[in-house]
Amino acid sequence: MDKKGVWESYRFSVILIGAIILGSIIGVNFGEKAKVLKPLGDLFVNGMFMIVVPLVFVTISSSISSMNDMKRLKSILKNLLLVFVSTGAVAAVIILIVVNIFPPAQGVHLSLPSAEALKPFQTGDQIVKAITVTDFPELISRKNMLPLIIFSIVFGLCINMIGEKGRPLAKGLEALADVFLKMISLLMYYAPIGLGAYFAALVGEYGKELIGSYTRAMIVYYPLCIAYFFIMFPIYGYIAGGKLGMKSMKNLISPAITSIATQSSIATLPVNLEAAERIGVPKDIREIVLPIGATTHMDGTVFSSILKISFLFGIYNVPFEGVGVYISALILSILGGVVMSGVPGGGLIGEMLIVTMYGFPPGAFPIIATIGYLVDPPATMINATGDTVAAMLVTRLVEGKDWMLKKLK
């Protein structure tokens, strides 16, 4: 590839990185004064959030409604669950090994006020709230993404089931999906300004909070996420599509940058859809796997869950060891990364579950809640970009090992 070809391939990513570096420098030098730029960043983030709800609805329902082979849909959903749980389990094992070699709370002494008594879980109510809403207008809110996804799947299935009568509607949904994706491509022209301004405000306001009593935990977590991104994702890429799959990892740069800046898998979804399309993931697979993955596939959350558990064990001088402890930590982390993430307020619920599961005092809750806040940027990067990698793995399972070669032909 000549210099022009390289520039064409990486131009947008280079511009984004440059804008974010510039924004970070402004944040460091101007401190809280850089918050004046926050509205420019909010314009971009709000634009993403504004488009993402109708985008999720039309992409999922369009893909399912126009699908002629129901066996393929079944295969996609089955392999989607397999990939989500498998990558979550791999992430859990990796972080277990890391926190045993580098205990995140070693030498850390915290003095935090006690939290109020935690309320007992009402599991049935949480499940109901996770998958349903009380009124239709609540469905069209990004705060209720899991009910929206379920509704979109059922809606698409019903269109498919009525046969020829549903074909015009399926075509209309497909056209709508193209319209919203075009809106995303237009919004991305503003991304360098929006993300640069967002980072300037973010670094200016919160930069100093990354230094202090939590530094050791962050020293463990941040490099782990970076290593996972640059080591495990290419491995997954190779499993999904051989050398071509590894080379396609360059398409994860834009989603990674967007996810770090917005700290939202949902806001990164449109960028992920574009990345998956460039990689060659089939339309029906990417438009089913990615929206569902944005709320139920969280390898970064798996990392942070075990980090929080081991941190609490260290703070309260409880040995983090034993088969029972490791198994329970694995279960809680996968539950938090694959299931609990779909529950409204799932992060806080997962943290409360950790505290109550191991019998820590209520004062432990603000400790891990703070960790959750500090690890959010790299965790979101792994969560969001991992969805595109998962879509590649699902494609490998559904279409066979030569799917990328077929796309080139």
Side-chain angles (χ1 to χ4, degrees):
M1 186 180 291
D2 58 22
K3 291 183 180 179
K4 184 178 180 181
V6 172
W7 171 244
E8 288 297 325
S9 296
Y10 291 95
R11 177 177 57 186
F12 187 69
S13 297
V14 169
I15 292 172
L16 274 184
I17 292 172
I20 286 173
I21 292 173
L22 179 60
S24 299
I25 292 172
I26 292 172
V28 168
N29 285 281
F30 289 89
E32 297 228 351
K33 293 180 180 178
K35 288 167 62 177
V36 71
L37 296 175
K38 191 171 183 294
L40 294 176
D42 288 340
L43 281 174
F44 176 73
V45 176
N46 290 348
M48 282 293 195
F49 281 138
M50 179 180 64
I51 295 173
V52 76
V53 169
L55 180 67
V56 166
F57 171 70
V58 296
T59 52
I60 293 180
S61 56
S62 168
S63 293
I64 294 176
S65 64
S66 59
M67 192 174 288
N68 295 321
D69 188 355
M70 286 294 102
K71 288 184 179 179
R72 180 175 171 84
L73 175 61
K74 182 180 178 181
S75 177
I76 291 173
L77 295 176
K78 178 185 70 176
N79 288 305
L80 174 152
L81 181 61
L82 174 64
V83 168
F84 285 5
V85 173
S86 298
T87 59
V90 170
V93 171
I94 290 173
I95 184 66
L96 268 177
I97 295 170
V98 170
V99 297
N100 273 282
I101 298 174
F102 305 104
Q106 185 175 341
V108 175
H109 303 284
L110 300 177
S111 178
L112 292 176
S114 298
E116 296 180 4
L118 299 174
K119 296 180 180 179
F121 285 99
Q122 303 294 329
T123 308
D125 289 343
Q126 289 173 356
I127 292 174
V128 170
K129 289 180 180 177
I131 62 176
T132 62
V133 291
T134 58
D135 199 359
F136 184 80
E138 296 176 27
L139 195 64
I140 51 177
S141 168
R142 64 181 174 85
K143 296 178 181 178
N144 298 308
M145 292 302 295
L146 196 53
L148 176 64
I149 287 171
I150 293 171
F151 178 85
S152 302
I153 291 172
V154 175
F155 188 79
L157 281 172
C158 290
I159 293 174
N160 200 302
M161 290 168 68
I162 64 175
E164 287 300 319
K165 291 181 180 179
R167 292 286 177 256
L169 186 53
K171 291 282 187 183
L173 287 169
E174 186 177 356
L176 271 175
D178 290 340
V179 169
F180 282 113
L181 288 171
K182 177 57 70 175
M183 289 180 70
I184 291 296
S185 66
L186 294 177
L187 181 60
M188 290 308 293
Y189 285 114
Y190 178 70
I193 297 173
L195 294 183
Y198 204 89
F199 255 82
L202 198 66
V203 172
E205 186 173 4
Y206 299 115
K208 294 181 180 178
E209 292 188 18
L210 296 178
I211 303 172
S213 57
Y214 290 94
T215 299
R216 183 176 175 84
M218 298 307 103
I219 288 173
V220 172
Y221 192 83
Y222 275 64
L224 174 63
C225 287
I226 293 170
Y228 190 81
F229 183 88
F230 285 105
I231 297 174
M232 289 307 301
F233 282 176
I235 290 174
Y236 289 146
Y238 183 81
I239 293 171
K243 292 182 180 179
L244 287 174
M246 290 183 68
K247 289 180 180 179
S248 67
M249 292 298 100
K250 66 183 181 181
N251 292 291
L252 298 182
I253 296 175
S254 293
I257 293 170
T258 304
S259 62
I260 290 173
T262 62
Q263 296 183 42
S264 169
S265 294
I266 296 296
T268 310
L269 175 58
V271 188
N272 263 336
L273 285 166
E274 286 189 346
E277 183 178 8
R278 288 196 299 271
I279 290 170
V281 175
K283 187 175 185 292
D284 57 352
I285 293 179
R286 68 175 181 263
E287 291 185 354
I288 293 173
V289 174
L290 291 176
I292 295 175
T295 56
T296 58
H297 179 232
M298 307 285 177
D299 290 351
T301 303
V302 171
F303 280 162
S304 63
S305 295
I306 292 183
L307 180 80
K308 294 167 188 174
I309 293 169
S310 62
F311 192 84
L312 284 183
F313 271 68
I315 291 297
Y316 288 96
N317 297 312
V318 180
F320 185 66
E321 58 188 26
V323 175
V325 171
Y326 294 155
I327 291 176
S328 63
L330 282 167
I331 293 172
L332 280 174
S333 65
I334 295 173
L335 183 68
V338 179
V339 180
M340 199 67 73
S341 55
V343 178
L348 293 177
I349 292 172
E351 288 157 2
M352 290 180 186
L353 184 59
I354 289 170
V355 172
T356 55
M357 176 81 174
Y358 291 106
F360 288 112
F365 177 69
I367 294 175
I368 56 173
T370 302
I371 290 179
Y373 168 75
L374 292 175
V375 302
D376 195 47
T380 305
M381 178 189 73
I382 297 300
N383 292 340
T385 52
D387 294 339
T388 301
V389 177
M392 294 174 63
L393 291 168
V394 171
T395 305
R396 164 67 173 82
L397 293 171
V398 173
E399 297 212 336
K401 64 180 182 179
D402 296 327
W403 67 274
M404 294 199 81
L405 288 173
K406 292 175 183 176
K407 291 297 173 186
L408 287 176
K409 292 178 181 178

